[in-house]
Amino acid sequence: TLPPAEQVAFWSARLKPDTPDYLTLTTLAGAYLSQARETGDAAAYARAEESLRRALALNPRYEPANALLGSVLIGQHAFAEALNRAETALAANPDAPQALAAAGDAHLELGHYAEAEAAYTRLLDLTPGGPVYSRLSRLAWLQGRPDEAIDWMRRAADETVALDLGGEGLAWYRFQLGELYFNQGDLRRAARWYGEAEQALPGYYLASAGLGKVEAARGDLAAAIVRYEALVGRLPQPGFVATLGDLYALNGDTDAAQRQYDTVAFIQQLDAAQRVLYDRAVAVFFANHNTNLDTALAYAERELAARQDIYAYDTLAWVLYRLGRFDEARAASDRALALGTPDAHLYYHSGLIAAAQGDAAQATTHLRRALELNPHFDLLQVEEARRALAALEQ
């Protein structure tokens, strides 16, 4: 298979001006979507959307274009519209795999977990394979079954290798295995799978981010800084910029850290078109650093209005905690923990909220749980968790 950039060039050349070729436009959109996933370039999602809307203007009933538009819209965090598109495609063909996948993904992001599970179960019956195994992995992890999540994601990666398929798909599954192990605090296995993701797709930005996290967790700040400087140099996403700032802070370079922190806010103001992609990450960043809290609250509330998943509730809880609105924070945090997701961040936030309310028992239980789940869950916040727990246990 040609790399996505070459596919884009090939199909773009096939398009003739003023030719009503919705088939080529749809194929071109698929190439742009692959490019977006491989490189992290959000602009490629916009190009994919433009191609698909042109295709659908020519043939509104073309089911593959409708279904693919659902996937593109998910990449742009337009989850409600993605669900509409997917349901339009499913109305024409209830067993269309791409539409079922897009519908399940949209439901998952919107916090409709039972509906997501139903879509994925149907997809598993119709087309068992890596794409649905990886989706079932994410659902299992969210629902508090990490071992099952790892089993599903291993199946996805193993089948991709067995079919002799490499590239971004295999890299994605291996990266996700790295994430699942990192979230359990298993740095050895996390490093292995991040490294194998890098092998599947040399230069893969997510693999690089994962390897940098492991280096930092192992105390090799210099190596992590070099890796994140390179990553931010080619892809200045707010989350990566914030992590580089935290690495500088841990390394004692407060001026360099502050420059990165200032850049996070600047990026968010600069790119309103892409802001929806990063509202959550920037709200969490502001709350982590106890700054710009009114802006953080606006972002968190906008996220929750568009996307009622557990992480939207957790983001709101964390910002409300920093604002001193502890009862509201507790209510939101309880919603975030509703599925039993084994994510240390959720328990850390809940523990600090409980401590602020004077609920020492829950605070102690949840802070311990956070540190047991993953003693490396955040470069800076893990120390705050340890300090808070030590104060409770005196």
Side-chain angles (χ1 to χ4, degrees), residues 264-340:
V264 174
F266 178 72
I267 291 170
Q268 192 72 347
Q269 292 165 7
L270 186 70
D271 199 348
Q274 292 179 23
R275 193 169 65 193
V276 67
L277 300 180
Y278 306 120
D279 272 355
R280 181 176 294 180
V282 175
V284 170
F285 164 76
F286 285 150
N288 279 347
H289 294 272
N290 212 9
T291 185
N292 296 63
L293 294 179
D294 289 340
T295 303
L297 182 61
Y299 289 173
E301 288 176 336
R302 188 163 60 211
E303 266 285 287
L304 185 63
R307 184 183 188 188
Q308 297 85 46
D309 69 333
I310 61 166
Y311 288 103
Y313 284 106
D314 179 61
T315 302
L316 181 63
W318 187 219
V319 174
L320 288 169
Y321 163 77
R322 290 299 203 199
L323 285 164
R325 292 162 60 175
F326 303 132
D327 291 347
E328 294 166 87
R330 177 76 170 254
S333 179
D334 287 348
R335 297 286 294 270
L337 288 167
L339 300 180

Side-chain angles (χ1 to χ4, degrees), residues 20-181:
D21 186 354
Y22 62 88
L23 296 171
T24 297
L25 282 164
T26 302
T27 308
L28 175 62
Y32 279 129
L33 181 57
S34 296
Q35 189 175 49
R37 288 172 172 164
E38 186 171 302
T39 64
D41 179 9
Y45 283 115
R47 296 185 195 106
E49 181 185 357
E50 181 193 6
S51 294
L52 288 168
R53 293 201 186 277
R54 285 172 62 193
L56 288 165
L58 295 167
N59 184 354
R61 299 175 64 83
Y62 186 48
E63 174 209 303
N66 259 317
L68 192 59
L69 183 55
S71 296
V72 169
L73 290 167
I74 286 165
Q76 296 175 302
H77 291 196
F79 302 115
E81 188 183 351
L83 183 58
N84 270 336
R85 283 286 168 181
E87 288 179 337
T88 297
L90 289 170
N93 177 3
D95 289 338
Q98 177 89 38
L100 274 170
D105 294 350
H107 280 306
L108 193 73
E109 298 295 345
L110 291 165
H112 310 156
Y113 297 108
E115 292 88 342
E117 188 162 9
Y120 294 160
T121 301
R122 182 65 186 140
L123 193 59
L124 182 64
D125 291 340
L126 290 168
T127 56
V132 68
Y133 299 160
S134 65
R135 288 171 164 87
L136 289 166
S137 170
R138 181 156 182 237
L139 187 63
W141 190 75
L142 285 167
Q143 292 175 334
R145 302 188 303 277
D147 292 343
E148 183 185 326
I150 287 170
D151 287 345
W152 278 120
M153 197 63 76
R154 276 185 179 272
R155 287 179 67 181
D158 289 348
E159 185 193 70
T160 305
V161 171
L163 293 172
D164 200 25
L165 299 172
E168 188 271 335
L170 178 58
W172 170 252
Y173 300 147
R174 288 174 168 177
F175 166 74
Q176 290 299 332
L177 276 166
E179 290 286 273
L180 287 165
Y181 281 117

Side-chain angles (χ1 to χ4, degrees), residues 192-277:
R192 175 197 160 188
W193 287 107
Y194 292 142
E196 293 205 11
E198 168 78 15
Q199 283 181 1
L201 187 64
Y204 187 36
Y205 75 103
L206 290 173
S208 190
L211 288 166
K213 284 198 303 186
V214 171
E215 288 163 344
R218 286 175 167 165
D220 191 349
L221 294 179
I225 285 169
V226 168
R227 197 179 291 277
Y228 266 86
E229 283 175 342
L231 187 58
V232 166
R234 66 189 171 115
L235 195 63
Q237 291 182 358
F240 297 153
V241 176
T243 298
L244 180 57
D246 289 349
L247 286 166
Y248 285 140
L250 276 174
N251 211 36
D253 192 341
T254 52
D255 289 344
Q258 192 59 51
R259 284 195 295 274
Q260 299 305 314
Y261 297 158
D262 291 344
T263 301
V264 174
F266 178 72
I267 291 170
Q268 192 72 347
Q269 292 165 7
L270 186 70
D271 199 348
Q274 292 179 23
R275 193 169 65 193
V276 67
L277 300 180

